[in-house]
Amino acid sequence: MTNRLTMLISFLLILGAAFAGQCAAADPPPCLLCGNAHTAAEHSVLYKGRAIPLCSPACQEHFRELERTGGLDPLTAGIEPRAALFQADSAPQRLGGSRLPFWIGCYVLLGVLTGGGAAFVAVRKGIPAGSSFAIGFALNVIGLAIVLAKPARETEFHVTGLRKVPTTRASLRCPDCGKANHPSANLCLHCGRALEPLSRSEVNPT
Amino acid sequence: MLNFIKRPLDRLLDTANMPNRRPELRAHNESNVDDMFIIGDLAGAPVIKLAMEQGYEVIHHIASLPGAKGGDPNVYDVVVAGAGAAGLNAALEAKEAGLSCLLLEKSKIANTIENFPEKKWVYAEPDTKPPKGKLWLDGARKEDLVARWNAMITENDLDVRREEGVESITRPDRKSPFVVKTSKGEYRARRVIIAIGQRGNPRKLGVPGEEQERVYHRLYSPRIYEGEDILVVGGGNSAIEAALVLSEANRVTLSYRGAEFGRVFKDNERLLKAAVDAGRVEVVYESNVTRFDDGIYTLERQEGGAKREEERKFDHAFVLVGAELPVGFLRSVGIRLENEWRGNWLASLGLTVAALFFAGLYGPDARMAGLAANVPPLASGALALLAVAALFVTASRGNRYSWLGISFLACFTVYGAKVGNGEEFWPFRGWGFEALSFGDRPWSFWYTVLYTVLMTVFGIQAMKRWGFDRKDSFQIWRYVSLIGFQWVFFFLIPEFLFQWAVQMNWVGDTLANDPQFAGQAWRSYGVVYAWPLFFYTFFYDPHQIWIVWGVVLTFVLIPILSFFHGKRFCSWICGCGGLAETLGDRWRHLAPKGKESIRWEWMNMAVLVFAVVVTVGILIKDSIAFVRAPSEAGLHIYRIYVDVWLVGILPVTLYPFLGGKVWCRFWCPLAKLMGLYSKWFGRFQIKSNDKCIACTECTRNCQVGIDVMSYALKQEPLTNDDSSCIGCGICVTVCPMDVLSFGDEPAVTSEKKTALTTES
């Protein structure tokens, strides 16, 4: 356990170091108001989701003044909103690039839906769900139609998803000796008398 | 001070092993030792029929391997250790498959069943599944079942050595056969199957005097005791049932270390209360037996915060505190256990730090220039890769800390480089985002592709595990939903459709030409992600459409969903939960469990409160000047710590160690908000009937750490009042006895227990 604790503390230290590294300033953009290259995080401000680089308390004061007089929007219009951390770069530059991922996505999405439908039908019909999903996934609507057209298979051991009801019956009492037997027994285990089974045996008794 | 952190952390991490550890298994029940398989009780088979199934399937797998039949008369194809249901069925199947097989049993055939109380009825559950293999199984009294199995051994001419336990298994090298040493001889085998179970290894108190004749660890014939002072130790169903049956003709004291019985059948609880009221049983809670002397035992009791010892007399004592995994034996043959922290943590830590350090030298970051002056970029890159390779080597040799290091490096890279705009995390600053951006797409796009592909591939795998293989349409639809939502709402819309809608004026001229709407494609994640999971819904200059939708989603639609379905958003819709349910599915059993882990869930309340405070602060900062600075600082902290570390890096790093739901369960503020909605006015619940056999499968597979079995045993509804259940239904699916069902199903009472009571 000491090992685990030490490992945890060590990783927390790495986390702290990484955070410290993250917080250390990269090359800052120039001041929005005076163009000075030496901007600092403590002077910069957020405005309508935009990170505004500023270089000094004087520029900060100037910025507040413009904010009060409503003269900021023309200055900040060219700066993208900071946005959510992971989507900061999600704006127009993404419009380029191939559309192939989109069409692949549509095919996979439809495949998952029709494959799921085929597997659902297969479970209901008592036929293999895995291969039905594969057919539905690969052939989309055609695959679903193929699975729908397949005949159902008779199966006694059919699990109906989450709508399960216990099927165990009460034990079967021997009319002669009164001892309890499995509901599927056709012979009394105790006296050998022939019994009328209440359900089909799960296996062929040896 | 360290103990202050260490103790609760220790308890939390160990809860994943409840109630017993299991060996680490690969596909086809193969242990970490090649060609050595584990089946039956040891491998977690909850009932006889499923133990038999494991024996059958392992032999089928072995028979399908190339060169399964060796042909050397001095080397068995398979040696099976343990002649219980699993081992016997494996031996019978091996015979059928033409494999030479030796079955070793340290005591009697089906020893666990043999040791059941006299005339106990053995069930062939689950009825919905046919038994596999040749071994006969139908409901029967234990004497008849064992007699039939013995007859089958003779009829099939199995090579069985009774009362010959395995003492050691060794193999000089990978190509040589195993040498199986027993109490009577030595055998060589190409493959070994361990089916020794754990019931034959009762847990002991480890106190002086426990070895004496009158102290037992199982109750075989309760009727032979009359008019005696009897001590029963334990708090499970076995102990309570023993106390009840012994109390019919004796004076019984039941000693239990806990303050209440947490995992007992509702009926047992009722019968015990009646026995206590009638004065037939005295229950001593919060007590421990510290020694047994001749006819006297010492009981340490907790009274008013102080410990007190007292001596009591006894004629017989039954210590029924469960069974233990034969850890010593398993380790002696080289088998690793689940959730076992092995290896040199210092070496792994060093390699992890080295990989990050050298990766940092590779980059052009000015801060590193002094350090990197004499190290060519390619050399530093090669050193970083070398450190990663060394981590892989040590991990493949069983160092779990190295796996943790690899997992951390992978997640740190994926998320740390994704920030972009020159703000990547060290050591990727200035080059990570660019290096991972290709095909005219930024890394964040490829990250989304990677996320979606992982969810799809592992989602189909999980769908097979829980849906196809178990013929469970609920799970099929659940995984289709998770994968579908990921593709539609977290990939196709934000990455393509939103932008096309703007470009092609599908949203109308006004919106298409409004930069506040058209320039913020990322906000389309908020179509499904509600505040506070999508933290930026209400600020960063949103268009009013998004504000209205955000309010409707968080404060109208999510409460309605919670009313009907509790927290199913997490298990049917959410991308974060989706990755946990798909990629993290294989590690779901490692989730911390029970009350101890639930105490740690206070953290998501803390994140929710933090999110509320920061959101309010950001919204009012332009009106109230002194709120500005703390709000912006809070926002910065939230972005880094919650949106990167707690959502991305840490939870995904921890998937293979604490299961997939670390973020959803411990830190997600939306999960907490839905939990509160569901607790206040939800109607979601999981109900139980009276058929629970305490196999722990439901608890083991719960990703949010609920001790589902304790609810099932007591037939209490499981709701969001005192649990963070997300309604994934895996507990319902996995239950071999069909005990659990969702709330709209009527509770079913089986006829079986009634019949059993009548018989006895």
Side-chain angles (χ1 to χ4, degrees), chain B residues 359-439:
Chain B
L361 295 193
Y362 177 80
D365 194 314
R367 290 177 302 102
M368 301 301 296
L371 283 169
N374 300 318
V375 186
L378 278 180
S380 60
L383 286 169
L385 289 176
L386 200 63
V388 174
L391 275 175
F392 270 106
V393 170
T394 50
S396 68
R397 290 179 181 170
N399 186 340
R400 201 172 183 218
Y401 298 104
S402 290
W403 283 122
L404 181 59
I406 291 165
S407 185
F408 175 78
L409 285 176
C411 295
F412 185 80
T413 304
V414 166
Y415 288 90
K418 192 160 68 69
V419 182
N421 288 347
E423 292 191 357
E424 303 98 310
F425 281 16
W426 179 88
F428 304 108
R429 174 163 296 163
W431 64 277
F433 187 87
E434 194 181 328
L436 292 169
S437 299
F438 53 92

Side-chain angles (χ1 to χ4, degrees), chain A residues 30 61 64 72 93 98 121 125 147 172-173:
Chain A
E61 186 54 40
R64 299 285 176 225
L72 271 180
Q93 69 268 26
S98 166
V121 171
K125 289 188 170 185
V147 175
L172 174 58
R173 289 194 173 278

